[in-house]
Amino acid sequence: MTRRKLVVGGLAGLGGVAAAGRLAAQFGLVPPDGGGVYGPGATLNYATHRLLTAGASAREFDSEKISKVPYPNGKPPKDEIFVRQIANGFLDWRLEVAGMVERPASFSIAELKGFPASSQVTQLACEEGWSYVAEWKGVALSHVLRLAGVSPLAKFVVYETLPIKGFTFDSIDIEEAMHPQTLISYGMNGVDLPIEFGGPLRMRVPRQLGYKSVKYIAKVTVTDNLKGFGKGLGSMDAEFGYSWYAGI
Ligand SMILES: Nc1nc2c(c(=O)[nH]1)N[C@H]1C(S)=C(S)[C@@H](COP(=O)(O)O)O[C@H]1N2
Ligand SMILES: [Mo]
């Protein structure tokens, strides 16, 4: 049975959500929050998305669609380590690349800007219902992962902020991580990424809701298992009850 036939004949069929969940498990399509009360629904959503929209891209807009007044959600960190970083023009900021890679690495903003750049005009949509369109510039996460020698056994990439008051982390599967639109973003609308929008570095995951686009990132970790990350979901947003997979 092919994966696509699985959708048509199984997941979307009359077998019920629980049966669909068992089929999804056979094909490795259960998300980290696939257990618990909402697990079967989360699994069905994730599995059907992964099967039906594999490789699909987030919509890209013409530059005239860029929002005049993008909305920054939340205030920039006030922590001393962050304020010192601002004062220093983020010269000491590093992005650490760890976990299942042959060559663990750490890159400055300047080094990241030296890699092939990618730009996209995409929409950031918050789960609360608002959205804005902006141009993001950065380096594809896939480029950085390949440079570091990502293991063929990798299943997830976890990314986290600097250890600040609003510390947070989230994760995506390897398909999302290797997708060309998934960026480590350092620029927005033609300037360095403003701190309200996550400067100097944010993960930009345009195929998923805004909360997956974590701001102030300082570390990415490649793994085959999310159990060791937080409460085991590899995502603070999922710990708060948001869906781990937030595909649009
Ligand atoms: N570090 C950090 N990143 C974050 C958040 C946050 O609170 N802290 N909020 C998330 C949520 S819920 C959304 S909708 C987007 C909002 O992005 P914006 O500030 O560019 O509007 O950022 C995401 N990234
Ligand atoms: Mo959000």
Side-chain angles (χ1 to χ4, degrees), residues 70-75 77 124-128 130-132 136 160-162 164 166-169 188 193-198 201-204 209-217 237 242:
Y71 178 75
N73 191 19
K75 296 246 152 54
L124 185 144
C126 174
E127 77 293 347
E128 292 166 344
W130 51 269
S131 67
Y132 68 85
W136 277 276
E160 64 191 73
T161 65
L162 208 65
I164 46 178
F167 173 82
T168 189
F169 62 97
M188 184 178 161
L193 187 64
I195 56 174
E196 312 90 277
F197 293 101
L201 279 190
R202 97 183 287 178
M203 192 60 78
R204 182 69 190 114
L209 289 173
Y211 60 84
K212 302 299 278 193
S213 291
V214 172
K215 310 197 260 192
Y216 319 114
I217 57 164
D237 295 298
Y242 293 105

